[in-house]
Amino acid sequence: MFKLIGSLIIILSCSYLGFSIGSGIRKRLIQLKELEKNVYLLKNEMFYTYTSLPEAFSKVGLKSKGVIKNIFVTISDLLYSNEVSDVYEAVNKSIKKYNIDLKLIDEDIDIVLNLAKSLGNCDLEGQKSIFELTISNLKKQILVAEDSLDKNVKMYRCLGVSIGAMIVIMLI
């Protein structure tokens, strides 16, 4: 009886681990798409309504959802309160604050940080080209994430169940 219960616990816990890893891959894709949408919104706020950066980040943050919303609202708060010297520092602090909830990889974060380095430092045409480059890079990362999702989610789920079963077989 105890062997059966222990075996069931091992299989379920390994399966849960596999499903949670697969869920992390799915969340990365969702966060990348939300980030891409927010970059478009930020670009529109800056170029078509000529909104200041703190206010633009605030408006975009209120229109988004999840951890990306928290990041944009925090950036706005940091810029309004003058706790940071530039946009890059605000973005960096905000990302570090919510890093636990973010499923983005370092390459994704580097794209955002590269955008933040140039915000407010170039003329209008330079800003437009930097936004286009950022959006292009985010689209590439979304394609990579979709490919990873197609390939790896099912594998991690099956692997979790299989490893749980293997452990149970070895223990019995």
Side-chain angles (χ1 to χ4, degrees):
M1 182 66 176
F2 289 119
K3 282 186 178 182
L4 181 64
I5 293 172
S7 300
L8 189 60
I9 289 172
I10 290 172
I11 290 175
L12 288 177
S13 63
C14 288
S15 299
Y16 174 77
L17 185 63
F19 275 81
S20 67
I21 292 172
S23 173
I25 295 171
R26 186 177 312 279
K27 285 180 183 177
R28 174 181 176 233
L29 179 61
I30 291 168
Q31 289 176 357
L32 275 171
K33 287 182 178 181
E34 186 69 21
L35 191 60
E36 178 190 30
K37 180 187 90 169
N38 285 1
V39 170
Y40 274 116
L41 290 173
L42 186 64
K43 176 184 172 189
N44 291 339
E45 285 292 329
M46 288 178 62
F47 296 120
Y48 301 115
T49 61
Y50 298 105
T51 310
S52 67
L53 274 175
E55 190 177 342
F57 275 106
S58 177
K59 285 182 178 181
V60 170
L62 295 175
K63 292 177 186 176
S64 66
K65 54 188 172 188
V67 69
I68 304 298
K69 174 182 183 168
N70 297 337
I71 289 172
F72 273 75
V73 170
T74 303
I75 292 169
S76 173
D77 293 342
L78 289 171
L79 291 174
Y80 270 129
S81 65
N82 289 326
E83 292 179 33
V84 292
S85 59
D86 61 352
V87 179
Y88 175 77
E89 190 178 344
V91 171
N92 200 16
K93 277 187 176 183
S94 182
I95 287 174
K96 285 181 181 178
K97 181 177 181 180
Y98 295 104
N99 198 26
I100 294 172
D101 298 329
L102 272 178
K103 299 298 180 190
L104 302 177
I105 61 174
D106 290 339
E107 293 169 1
D108 306 333
I109 292 171
D110 286 342
I111 292 170
V112 176
L113 291 176
N114 287 335
L115 172 66
K117 283 179 189 175
S118 65
L119 281 178
N121 295 332
C122 300
D123 64 339
L124 201 58
E125 290 303 315
Q127 293 285 324
K128 283 183 181 180
S129 63
I130 290 170
F131 269 104
E132 293 304 319
L133 178 64
T134 301
I135 290 168
S136 170
N137 287 339
L138 283 173
K139 285 182 180 184
K140 288 176 188 174
Q141 289 301 106
I142 288 171
L143 289 175
V144 169
E146 286 173 343
D147 188 44
S148 175
L149 181 73
D150 293 340
K151 289 180 182 177
N152 295 331
V153 170
K154 190 173 181 180
M155 177 194 67
Y156 282 120
R157 290 177 178 172
C158 293
L159 197 60
V161 173
S162 300
I163 288 175
M166 187 176 69
I167 291 170
V168 167
I169 290 171
M170 287 177 23
L171 292 176
I172 294 178

